[in-house]
Amino acid sequence: MGSPYNLGGSASQLFFQIKDSAEYKALTLISSLPHPQRTLLSLFVEGAVDREHAAEFFLEEISEQGESAMLGFLDNWTRLVDKIRPVLCRDVDDSLKQTVWERDKGQCCISGARDNAIGTDQLLLTFILPPWLLNESEMAEQGILYRMLKVYIGDSHLLNVQSLINQNSSASLSASSDQLLLLSTPDFDHFENGRFSLKRMRTAKDSPRYLVCQHEVLPSVEIKLESDIVEFEMKATESALPPNQHLLEAHHRFAEALSWLEVSRYMKQPPPSSHVPGSTWSRRICWPMFRIIQYLWLNVPVSIRAFTYERLAIIGHRLYGPTLSDRTHRLPFNLYLRIAPIKWAPKHRAEFQSLQLVEKYTDIPAPRAVDTAQHSEYSYLLMTRVSGQPIGKMLAIMTDEKIAIAVQDLKKYLAGLQHIPNTTGSGFQICNSLGAGILDWRIGDSQREELKFKSEAEFNQYLTSPFDESTQKQAEKAHHRKHGIVFTHNDLNPRNVLADETGKITGIVDWECSGWFPEHWEYTKAHFAVRYTIRWLADVVDRVFPDYREELWVENMLSDLAPPF
C-alpha cells in the first residue's frame, strides 16, 4: 500500500532497530518525497537482493545533493523498470510457436484459458524479459542503468540473465521456448504491469512449481485466479524447455516496481468527476420516514422477518456478490445483514446496542441499527449501509494530503467515541456495550467464554497470566500505568474505515468487537490487526495516536508469545 513518510515517527515493529544502517538512512531521505514517487524509489532499496548494498549505492549516487539528485535517481530507476517490462513475441517461426503451444497444452499458463487455434488474439506469446534488453545503448556496462540493474538483482543473477537472453537485433526470431510464456490477453496485461509474478517454490517434484504473487494494483483492476499455484511439466525434448526460472525470478523482483509505476502514472491523470448521492436535506427528510417504517416492521412477527431476511440475503448475493465475511450480506434498500448461529445472538445484541450508542452520543458516520432477531437456529442483525470505499482499497492512490484529511477525521471521530459513558450498571469496567463479556480477536477465549473485568489491573493480570515471571516483569513497564477506560471500536483496520476520493472518512463499520477498554487498546489493536500494512500503520494509525509506544511494545510481545488462533 505504499512506503510511509512518517518513517521516523512510527512505532511499528517492522521498522528498523539499527538506526545507523545504510538502509535506514536511505529510506529516511526517500521519505521526504511525496507519494507515490517515495514508494517507487524506496523499492530500489527494499526490493533489492542485498538491501544494504543497494542503499549504499543509492547514497553514494546522490552524494548528499538533496532532492534534485533523488529525483534524477528516480528518473533512472523508472527508465530501468520500464525496460524490464515483458513484451509480446511477434516475429517467431511457426515451429517455436508450436513448441510453446504444445508445452502449455494450448492454454494460458496462469488462468488455464484455452484457445482453439494458434495465432489468434486469445492467447499471446510473451517474452518474460525483452530479449534485446542488454543490447540497448542505455544498458552499456558502465552506464547508470546497467549498474543499477547489477546492484538490484546481484552479480550472479545478472550473469544468468545475460547468458539466457539474446543480445542481437533479431532476438525474436532466434528465441527459445524457455524465454516464453503463453498468456491470455487479460493475464498478459497483469503480467506486463507487474500485478502478479511467479515465484519459484521449493519442491521435491521434478516439474517446477511457482506461486502466483499478487502485487499492488489499482482499485479498478480485478485479478481473477483459478489457483495461486502454477506448474510446468518437464519435457523430454530440449526444444520444449519450461520457462526459465532465472528470467521469472528477475521479473518477480521487478514486478512490484512495475505495479507502482502503473499507480504513479494513473495518479498523474486528472481525477474523474464525482457526485456524492443524496444531499443533506434529502437525508433529513428520509430519516424520519425510515424510523416510521422501522417501527412498523419491528411489530411484524419474528418468523416473517427472519424469512424475509433469508430471502433478501439470497437476492443480495445475486445482485452484489459475496462480502469479505460469509456471515455478512449486502441487501437491497441500502442495508446490510449479519446471519450467524443462534449462539451468536448475544454478540448481535451487543453490536446493536453499540450502534445505538454511537448514533446517540457521536456524529460518527456509522451504520444505523435496524433490527436484531432470533428465530429457529439463527440470529440476525440488520443495519443500514454507509457510503464510501474501504480505505485499504484506496491507499495506493491516495496522496499524502488525502491521508492527512483521513487522519484528522479519525482523530475527531475517535475523540467523540471516547466520551460515550458506561451506563450499563454491570459493575464491570471492561465489558461490551451491554455490560457483558467482550469479543476481541486478539483474545481467542473471548469467543468461547464470558470475559469481563472490574478493573484494568484485573484485565492486565488476565493478559499476562499464561506467561512466566520474566515476561510479566517486562509487561509491567506499561501495565503499571493508569489508563482511562473508554468506549472503543476495537477493530480499526483498512477494511472497516471507509473514505471517499478526497480522503474524507465517510464511514466506520463492523462494531461487533466494540466496548469499554483501556484508552490505549484502540491503538495497540489497530497494530495487531494489520501488522504488515506499513503505510496505514505509519502514516495513519501512528499519527492518530501519538502516544502509547510502550503499551504497543508490550502488546506485540504478548501477542507474539501467545497468538489467539
Side-chain angles (χ1 to χ4, degrees):
M1 292 185 182
S3 180
Y5 67 82
N6 188 32
L7 186 66
S10 177
S12 172
Q13 62 182 350
L14 295 177
F15 295 137
F16 310 94
Q17 305 300 316
I18 305 174
K19 302 293 186 181
D20 60 353
S21 68
E23 182 179 359
Y24 183 79
K25 292 175 181 176
L27 294 180
T28 301
L29 286 172
I30 293 170
S31 69
S32 65
L33 295 176
H35 177 80
Q37 291 96 319
R38 174 180 65 247
T39 299
L40 185 57
L41 183 53
S42 68
L43 283 171
F44 176 77
V45 175
E46 296 181 291
V49 65
D50 184 336
R51 295 162 66 133
E52 192 72 3
H53 179 47
E56 290 169 352
F57 177 85
F58 167 77
L59 293 172
E60 183 179 346
E61 285 295 316
I62 67 168
S63 195
E64 301 183 359
Q65 296 175 49
E67 184 173 318
S68 61
M70 281 196 290
L71 292 175
F73 194 98
L74 173 60
D75 181 64
N76 287 326
W77 170 237
T78 300
R79 287 192 294 134
L80 176 60
V81 172
D82 245 341
K83 289 182 178 299
I84 296 294
R85 188 182 302 278
V87 294
L88 292 177
C89 177
R90 301 187 184 278
D91 302 318
V92 63
D93 60 65
D94 291 341
S95 62
L96 178 57
K97 191 179 297 184
Q98 183 68 37
T99 296
V100 176
W101 183 273
E102 292 177 354
R103 182 197 68 189
D104 295 346
K105 300 177 181 178
Q107 63 185 23
C108 172
C109 63
I110 304 296
S111 66
R114 290 184 174 275
D115 201 356
N116 295 325
I118 302 175
T120 69
D121 293 333
Q122 300 302 311
L123 294 179
L124 305 174
L125 209 54
T126 305
F127 278 116
I128 302 168
L129 295 183
W132 52 82
L133 172 66
L134 298 176
N135 193 46
E136 295 185 349
S137 58
E138 285 189 299
M139 296 300 294
E141 289 196 9
Q142 300 306 314
I144 181 62
L145 298 192
Y146 183 89
R147 291 188 290 119
M148 291 175 77
L149 177 62
K150 185 177 182 180
V151 167
Y152 189 68
I153 68 175
D155 291 350
S156 61
H157 193 184
L158 179 56
L159 288 173
N160 286 328
V161 170
Q162 284 178 310
S163 67
L164 289 165
I165 63 176
N166 272 303
Q167 300 184 49
N168 58 68
S169 58
S170 60
S172 296
L173 295 173
S174 57
S176 61
S177 61
D178 62 348
Q179 295 175 266
L180 299 167
L181 293 175
L182 199 58
L183 297 174
S184 67
T185 301
D187 284 337
F188 170 76
D189 188 42
H190 296 325
F191 193 69
E192 177 195 25
N193 288 292
R195 298 172 197 152
F196 64 64
S197 59
L198 301 181
K199 183 179 181 180
R200 182 73 180 262
M201 300 174 63
R202 296 180 181 275
T203 176
K205 292 186 175 182
D206 292 333
S207 299
R209 305 181 80 210
Y210 292 86
L211 178 67
V212 182
C213 301
Q214 294 194 44
H215 304 285
E216 194 63 64
V217 295
L218 299 173
S220 58
V221 174
E222 184 178 5
I223 299 178
K224 295 182 179 180
L225 297 174
E226 295 295 328
S227 172
D228 58 358
I229 303 294
V230 172
E231 183 170 353
F232 296 98
E233 293 185 9
M234 296 294 290
K235 300 293 183 178
T237 62
E238 293 184 2
S239 61
L241 297 172
N244 187 275
Q245 68 178 66
H246 298 297
L247 298 180
L248 289 173
E249 182 183 345
H251 175 265
H252 174 70
R253 192 164 293 281
F254 274 91
E256 191 171 1
L258 280 166
S259 70
W260 276 108
L261 186 56
E262 181 183 32
V263 170
S264 178
R265 289 169 176 168
Y266 174 86
M267 290 180 66
K268 290 178 181 178
Q269 300 173 6
S273 59
S274 61
H275 172 69
V276 179
S279 63
T280 301
W281 69 266
S282 65
R283 288 196 296 271
R284 287 175 178 171
I285 290 175
C286 292
W287 192 246
M289 186 181 299
F290 176 85
R291 286 305 192 195
I292 294 172
I293 295 172
Q294 179 188 17
Y295 174 79
L296 296 173
W297 176 246
L298 294 181
N299 283 284
V300 172
V302 67
S303 59
I304 296 177
R305 282 152 45 206
F307 176 84
T308 304
Y309 295 154
E310 293 281 357
R311 294 303 176 270
L312 285 175
I314 295 171
I315 294 171
H317 187 84
R318 291 174 180 171
L319 291 175
Y320 311 114
T323 66
L324 295 176
S325 169
D326 58 2
R327 296 187 295 113
T328 304
H329 308 269
R330 182 178 174 183
L331 307 185
F333 313 114
N334 216 32
L335 297 170
Y336 267 91
L337 175 71
R338 291 193 193 275
I339 303 177
I342 194 69
K343 67 179 181 180
W344 208 256
K347 308 301 183 185
H348 281 175
R349 295 190 190 103
E351 185 173 5
F352 187 90
Q353 175 68 6
S354 293
L355 293 175
Q356 290 188 318
L357 290 174
V358 170
E359 180 181 2
K360 179 179 180 180
Y361 289 102
T362 79
D363 60 355
I364 295 172
R368 299 311 184 207
V370 179
D371 184 20
T372 181
Q374 290 73 46
H375 179 68
S376 185
E377 299 178 355
Y378 293 97
S379 176
Y380 306 88
L381 173 62
L382 186 67
M383 69 195 91
T384 62
R385 176 176 175 263
V386 293
S387 62
Q389 292 290 324
I391 200 170
K393 291 184 176 180
M394 304 170 64
L395 275 178
I397 59 171
M398 290 180 73
T399 64
D400 294 331
E401 291 76 18
K402 292 178 181 180
I403 290 289
I405 291 172
V407 168
Q408 290 305 312
D409 280 354
L410 279 175
K411 283 183 177 180
K412 178 183 69 173
Y413 291 141
L414 293 178
L417 187 67
Q418 293 184 350
H419 285 95
I420 295 178
N422 185 343
T423 58
T424 62
S426 67
F428 292 93
Q429 284 194 322
I430 297 171
C431 56
N432 70 16
S433 58
L434 293 172
I438 61 174
L439 174 64
D440 193 310
W441 310 124
R442 150 76 175 87
I443 304 170
D445 287 343
S446 68
Q447 300 174 61
R448 301 174 291 274
E449 301 176 20
E450 183 78 2
L451 297 180
K452 48 190 177 180
F453 305 91
K454 293 186 175 181
S455 67
E456 182 183 8
E458 186 179 311
F459 180 57
N460 290 337
Q461 183 180 14
Y462 174 82
L463 294 176
T464 57
S465 60
F467 306 109
D468 58 25
E469 184 177 351
S470 173
T471 301
Q472 293 177 4
K473 189 74 174 176
Q474 292 181 72
E476 285 181 1
K477 66 169 68 176
H479 285 182
H480 276 183
R481 292 181 176 179
K482 182 69 174 176
H483 299 95
I485 306 300
V486 298
F487 198 77
T488 302
H489 178 277
N490 200 25
D491 194 16
L492 279 183
N493 66 63
R495 297 185 304 276
N496 293 337
V497 177
L498 311 185
D500 64 18
E501 67 278 359
T502 70
K504 180 178 176 60
I505 300 301
T506 60
I508 300 177
V509 300
D510 200 351
W511 293 80
E512 64 180 343
C513 295
S514 58
W516 283 276
F517 291 85
E519 63 188 76
H520 66 275
W521 198 252
E522 194 85 87
Y523 172 62
T524 58
K525 269 299 298 298
H527 268 267
F528 172 82
V530 284
R531 289 189 179 184
Y532 298 98
T533 312
I534 300 176
R535 193 179 182 214
W536 166 257
L537 293 178
D539 289 350
V540 180
V541 174
D542 285 338
R543 294 176 63 223
V544 171
F545 302 93
D547 303 316
Y548 311 126
R549 295 319 196 239
E550 287 192 348
E551 288 88 342
L552 176 62
W553 185 90
V554 168
E555 265 303 293
N556 284 338
M557 175 188 68
L558 296 179
S559 59
D560 284 344
L561 290 172
F565 303 109

